[in-house]
Amino acid sequence: QVQLAESGGGLVQAGGSLRLSCAASGIVFARYVIAWYRQAPGKERELVARITPGSSTDVADSMKGRFTISRDNSKSTVYLQMNSLKPEDTAVYHCAAEPLSPRVGANYWGQGTQVTVSS
């Protein structure tokens, strides 16, 4: 059974920091790209950051310099460090596991964790 468990969300004041975690189980972690997406009320889901098994990263332009993604393959966990948070960062943050090829497996999603940034 595949599970992606997000944690670390919460309420923080503008300018503060949070670190989200995404712990994966039931997949061959080293064969998956892990991505963070977010969706705010009334808005479309957007990609926040993505990291390959070899730790190559891609962060959305609007979050570069504030957000950092990393992974610990020994713990099957990906982290999203979010600094200098703004009210517009308020959203539900989901992690997603994207296989390197269709032969590896399917895409999987976590339930999400709420991040609320107060002004």
Side-chain angles (χ1 to χ4, degrees):
Q1 181 178 357
V2 177
Q3 185 175 13
L4 298 178
E6 302 103 330
S7 61
L11 174 63
V12 64
Q13 289 188 331
S17 298
L18 285 173
R19 188 176 82 153
L20 305 184
S21 298
C22 172
S25 59
I27 60 172
V28 180
F29 191 69
R31 296 183 182 178
Y32 279 80
V33 173
I34 305 296
W36 285 98
Y37 290 83
R38 71 184 185 184
Q39 187 162 21
K43 295 188 177 181
E44 292 189 355
R45 184 173 63 202
E46 65 175 331
L47 175 66
V48 175
R50 135 182 312 131
I51 186 165
T52 70
S55 293
S56 294
T57 63
D58 183 25
V59 178
D61 287 344
S62 63
M63 299 160 224
K64 283 181 179 174
R66 299 190 299 124
F67 290 10
T68 303
I69 189 170
S70 62
R71 69 191 284 161
D72 184 339
N73 287 334
S74 69
K75 296 181 179 180
S76 297
T77 300
V78 168
Y79 305 99
L80 183 68
Q81 178 67 43
M82 306 186 295
N83 299 328
S84 302
L85 283 162
K86 305 174 182 180
E88 51 264 43
D89 294 317
T90 295
V92 177
Y93 285 70
H94 296 267
C95 67
E98 304 166 354
L100 291 176
S101 80
R103 291 176 295 178
V104 170
N107 285 27
Y108 300 100
W109 289 86
Q111 292 296 313
T113 185
Q114 176 70 47
V115 171
T116 303
V117 184
S118 64
S119 58

